[in-house]
Amino acid sequence: MTYWETFLTLRQHFSLAEKRIKQRRANRIARYIYYALTLFAYAYIAWGGWQLANLASEPEYGGYRLIFILLPLFLIVDHIFRYGTIRQEFFRLRPYLLLPLPRYACVDYLILRQIAQHGNLFLPLIAIPFGLKALLPAVGSMEMMGYTLGICLLSLINGQFFQITQTLSSRRLVYYLLPIVVYPLLFIPFFFVPSVADLFQQAALFGQLIMRGNIAFYLPALCLLIILTLINRRVLLSHLYYEAYTAGVAKTTKRHVLPLNFLEYFKELSEYLKLEVRFIQRNKRLRHSFINSTCFIIFYSIAMIWQSESGSTITDTILLYCFSIYGIAFLTPLMCYDGNYFECLVMLPKSLPQLLLAKYYFYSVLLLIPLLCLLPAVIMGNVSVWLILAFFLYTAGFTYRILFQMAIYNKVSYPMNASHSATRSNTKIPYMQYIVPFIVLGLPVPVILLGKNYHLENLSNLLLALIGLPFILTHQHWIKQINRRMRAQQHEQIAGFRGC
């Protein structure tokens, strides 16, 4: 096959694969909800760019020059945004390595496919509405075209760097440090500018290079794009061969296993508690979810120490998210990993309720992480201790009661060795997994708004605590109810788990 024929064949095969996945054929409601949420998210990003243009109209913000000052920050956010919207697909190309195809044809198609994904739209969606509002009336249409071209070029460069980082980090986690090393270099010029006025002047000069198509910007940018693309081709090809011929070789090195003997104190629940720890320790998807959730809690807790404006509705909502993030990450797919051995659980009368009880205790203990991380902010007086306790009780009670209901709705099983880059495209994901996180995060917001609008923060904290406390005290009762519901539909769940 020629180079172009390989491209067309791969495009046809990938298109057929997208049409044949169970998620697309059997779960239309979830797909439509995903499309609606995606459109809403991109519309919100575009609205943010428009609002930024309104902010730039103020005299102290420098007009259209503001976008060029914030460009390094937007590139960092764009890189983070891609992790949630762009998935790795090089595992689909493994069978094609056995065919007599042009060496780089498959890799080049993968690069072009990554460029065509909607995850690359963050930077243009921020910058183009800003340019239409603030830049077009000031400089004209020709400069606006050059500005759009320059933004798209920077987005392509950032996309190639992201794909390199994503491919390398799938083999070794140390490559996650690569963006941490590279992106701070973009802020080096800020340290050589003596004043804010000079900063705006330098931003205007840089903007003129982009808008007028100056070769002083476009020639280095195009060279950087070509270099990153060539590096990306080599990295993707070497990783494809590594995954196909090296990664599957069994390693004989002995790994140290964490004993977890202290959990023997819980007797019958000890083995199920160990199972939860092993899941997070050995499953890449769960391990990365735990690391990312913990890092978010730590970073936001550190930010709360120096936050001058405390007690706002947004602050309280993010604090609530810090407590709910573990439940959303691990309890939304409840029983999906345990579905691989669900038949063994239903054979013993006490195994299923003990598993659910162990999960409740384990994820309730995890709530101590945000509680302890937020203590410095409490000591500094930026966060009320009663607010933290109210969120703790509300999450351990009412939130977990809603999330544990997913044990009834989930009837699909996920691979035990699912990696952090793998997709669940071959499973029929229940649409409730898309809806429940919004329900969990949205239900307490009216109570928070009630306290903020009427200056009744203590009353709203008391209400949240009183809502969660009864579910904590009666957790064994409603876990038994869930167990009875699962027993009543065990044959349906077994059929669903087997089908995956």
Side-chain angles (χ1 to χ4, degrees):
M1 296 178 66
T2 63
Y3 192 89
W4 179 245
E5 289 174 345
T6 304
F7 260 66
L8 295 179
T9 304
L10 286 173
R11 180 180 179 276
Q12 182 183 11
H13 290 180
F14 274 64
S15 178
L16 291 174
E18 291 290 339
K19 293 178 181 179
R20 290 171 179 171
I21 59 176
K22 294 181 179 180
Q23 179 184 353
R24 184 182 183 92
R25 292 187 287 111
N27 207 342
R28 294 182 179 180
I29 297 177
R31 191 168 81 247
Y32 295 148
I33 292 174
Y34 172 77
Y35 291 156
L37 292 177
T38 302
L39 290 175
F40 173 78
Y42 287 145
Y44 190 79
I45 293 171
W47 176 81
W50 191 268
Q51 292 299 315
L52 184 64
N54 293 332
L55 179 66
S57 62
E58 301 292 333
E60 62 270 16
Y61 290 104
Y64 71 88
R65 295 170 292 182
L66 179 65
I67 190 69
F68 299 108
I69 295 176
L70 297 178
L71 200 54
L73 180 62
F74 286 148
L75 290 174
I76 296 175
V77 178
D78 178 57
H79 185 93
I80 298 173
F81 181 79
R82 293 171 190 266
Y83 278 107
T85 55
I86 296 179
R87 63 180 185 270
Q88 288 186 349
E89 295 180 317
F90 54 77
F91 60 91
R92 294 186 179 183
L93 294 177
R94 293 177 189 173
Y96 298 95
L97 297 179
L98 302 175
L99 301 177
L101 301 175
R103 186 179 185 186
Y104 283 101
C106 297
V107 174
D108 291 341
Y109 175 77
L110 204 61
I111 293 174
L112 290 178
R113 185 174 174 84
Q114 185 268 342
I115 293 174
Q117 291 186 20
H118 60 83
N120 299 287
L121 295 176
F122 176 81
L123 190 60
L125 284 176
I126 280 283
I128 293 178
F130 179 92
L132 294 174
K133 175 72 174 179
L135 193 142
L136 183 61
V139 297
S141 58
M142 295 301 296
E143 283 77 4
M144 179 65 193
M145 292 176 59
Y147 164 79
T148 304
L149 181 61
I151 291 296
C152 292
L153 182 59
L154 292 175
S155 180
L156 291 176
I157 293 173
N158 212 32
Q160 292 302 307
F161 177 69
F162 167 79
Q163 195 171 23
I164 294 171
T165 306
Q166 188 185 37
T167 306
L168 292 175
S169 60
S170 64
R171 187 186 302 182
R172 291 185 179 180
L173 294 179
V174 69
Y175 287 106
Y176 274 117
L177 299 176
L178 187 60
I180 301 177
V181 175
V182 172
Y183 281 111
L185 300 178
L186 300 177
F187 294 92
I188 291 179
F190 289 84
F191 296 99
F192 296 96
V193 179
S195 64
V196 177
D198 293 332
L199 179 63
F200 282 119
Q201 184 178 1
Q202 295 299 324
L205 293 176
F206 178 71
Q208 292 296 325
L209 295 178
I210 296 178
M211 292 183 293
R212 295 181 179 178
N214 197 305
I215 195 174
F217 166 77
Y218 282 94
L219 182 60
L222 288 173
C223 291
L224 180 60
L225 178 61
I226 294 172
I227 293 172
L228 288 177
T229 304
L230 294 176
I231 295 174
N232 194 13
R233 295 176 79 205
R234 296 295 299 271
V235 169
L236 281 172
L237 186 65
S238 63
H239 190 75
L240 275 174
Y241 282 108
Y242 172 81
E243 289 287 330
Y245 304 115
T246 308
V249 179
K251 296 182 180 180
T252 58
T253 56
K254 186 178 179 180
R255 297 178 60 183
H256 175 70
V257 179
L258 190 66
L260 302 176
N261 293 329
F262 66 95
L263 293 177
E264 297 292 341
Y265 174 78
F266 298 97
K267 298 181 181 179
E268 294 180 350
L269 294 178
S270 62
E271 295 301 324
Y272 299 104
L273 291 172
K274 290 179 182 179
L275 189 62
E276 294 303 315
V277 178
R278 300 299 185 202
F279 269 141
I280 297 178
Q281 181 183 5
R282 296 176 179 178
N283 186 290
K284 287 186 178 181
R285 181 186 294 277
L286 296 180
R287 184 168 69 246
H288 281 267
S289 297
F290 178 78
I291 294 173
N292 294 334
S293 302
T294 306
C295 290
F296 175 83
I297 293 171
I298 293 174
F299 290 154
Y300 188 74
S301 302
I302 294 173
M304 287 295 297
I305 298 175
W306 290 282
Q307 185 166 347
S308 59
E309 182 182 355
S310 60
S312 64
T313 304
I314 297 178
T315 301
D316 292 352
T317 305
I318 299 178
L319 284 176
L320 178 63
Y321 181 72
C322 289
F323 282 93
S324 305
I325 189 171
Y326 287 127
I328 293 174
F330 298 109
L331 296 180
T332 302
L334 185 62
M335 299 304 298
C336 288
Y337 294 98
D338 304 280
N340 293 280
Y341 50 88
F342 185 75
E343 296 179 23
C344 301
L345 293 173
V346 298
M347 290 174 63
L348 299 176
K350 293 184 178 181
S351 60
L352 194 55
Q354 286 177 350
L355 175 66
L356 295 174
L357 196 61
K359 287 180 179 290
Y360 178 77
Y361 290 151
F362 179 77
Y363 292 109
S364 297
V365 171
L366 284 186
L367 294 179
L368 294 176
I369 296 178
L371 186 67
L372 295 176
C373 290
L374 290 168
L375 283 181
V378 173
I379 296 173
M380 297 295 294
N382 293 332
V383 182
S384 171
V385 63
W386 303 114
L387 178 65
I388 301 299
L389 292 176
F391 285 162
F392 179 86
L393 295 175
Y394 178 86
T395 305
F398 187 70
T399 298
Y400 279 6
R401 175 63 185 92
I402 296 175
L403 292 173
F404 266 80
Q405 194 71 15
M406 294 300 297
I408 301 172
Y409 299 125
N410 289 330
K411 298 181 179 65
V412 296
S413 60
Y414 297 158
M416 301 286 284
N417 59 345
S419 66
H420 63 283
S421 60
T423 61
R424 296 175 289 181
S425 58
N426 292 325
T427 59
K428 185 177 69 173
I429 303 175
Y431 67 91
M432 288 297 293
Q433 288 194 17
Y434 295 94
I435 299 176
V436 165
F438 294 95
I439 296 175
V440 166
L441 295 175
L443 285 177
V445 172
V447 180
I448 297 174
L449 291 176
L450 176 67
K452 297 301 177 184
N453 294 336
Y454 296 97
H455 303 287
L456 299 173
E457 288 85 357
N458 294 331
L459 178 61
S460 64
N461 295 339
L462 181 62
L463 285 175
L464 290 174
L466 292 177
I467 291 172
L469 191 59
F471 292 97
I472 296 176
L473 298 177
T474 61
H475 68 276
Q476 293 189 1
H477 175 70
W478 53 260
I479 284 178
K480 290 179 181 178
Q481 288 183 336
I482 293 174
N483 176 52
R484 285 195 292 269
R485 290 281 303 277
M486 295 179 69
R487 289 285 181 179
Q489 62 174 16
Q490 61 181 356
H491 299 292
E492 184 181 351
Q493 285 194 298
I494 290 174
F497 292 140
R498 279 183 175 180
C500 298

